[in-house]
Amino acid sequence: MSAVDSLLATARSGLDRVTPARARELQEAGALLVDIRPLANREAEGEIPGAVIVERIHLEWRLAPDSEWRLPSVTPGSTVIVVCNEGYSSSLAAADLQRLGLGNATDLDGGFRAWAAAGLPVQAGGSPAVP
């Protein structure tokens, strides 16, 4: 197993990853979906309605419960579902968020592409990321 595969396996061992259908249910119940995909991917493939766009390079600062730059709605008890293209970088990101105090952080198994393939709502992409 390569080092990156080992890192991914370790990250996922602490996550309760969610299917697209479960992510939709959790979103409807108030979970925060956070799309970390680059602008080019969001423009080409679309976005999940209601997801918050946070570039990966800003993620920890915008979601760490004790960060002075965090999104106002984020608390240590917030349920946060990180979304990337296919569910790899989102697993690493969600594990980082757990280490920063978001115990209910997880990711979307299969990423945005699994969401779209499941026929769940998608809107035109290109929304600006949270600054």
Side-chain angles (χ1 to χ4, degrees), residues 6-115:
S6 177
L7 181 66
L8 182 62
T10 299
R12 287 181 172 169
S13 71
L15 300 176
D16 182 15
R17 302 183 77 214
V18 296
T19 64
R22 180 69 179 139
R24 177 73 171 161
E25 291 171 4
L26 291 169
Q27 182 188 35
E28 290 173 347
L32 180 66
L33 267 65
V34 179
D35 190 339
I36 63 170
R37 296 175 303 136
L39 176 61
N41 291 107
R42 296 190 324 269
E43 287 178 333
E45 299 180 54
E47 298 170 356
I48 297 171
V52 174
I53 310 300
V54 179
E55 297 285 346
R56 178 63 185 97
I57 61 171
H58 298 131
L59 185 70
E60 287 81 359
W61 287 268
R62 296 293 179 251
L63 277 89
D66 64 348
S67 172
E68 66 181 284
W69 300 285
R70 73 172 168 77
L71 298 173
S73 63
V74 176
T75 68
S78 295
T79 298
V80 174
I81 303 166
V82 183
V83 180
C84 69
N85 287 331
E86 296 180 335
Y88 294 95
S89 62
S90 59
S91 293
L92 299 174
D96 285 347
L97 293 176
Q98 284 188 351
R99 283 191 291 276
L100 290 173
L102 277 174
N104 295 324
T106 190
D107 76 320
L108 177 58
D109 191 0
F112 175 84
R113 292 176 182 159
W115 175 282

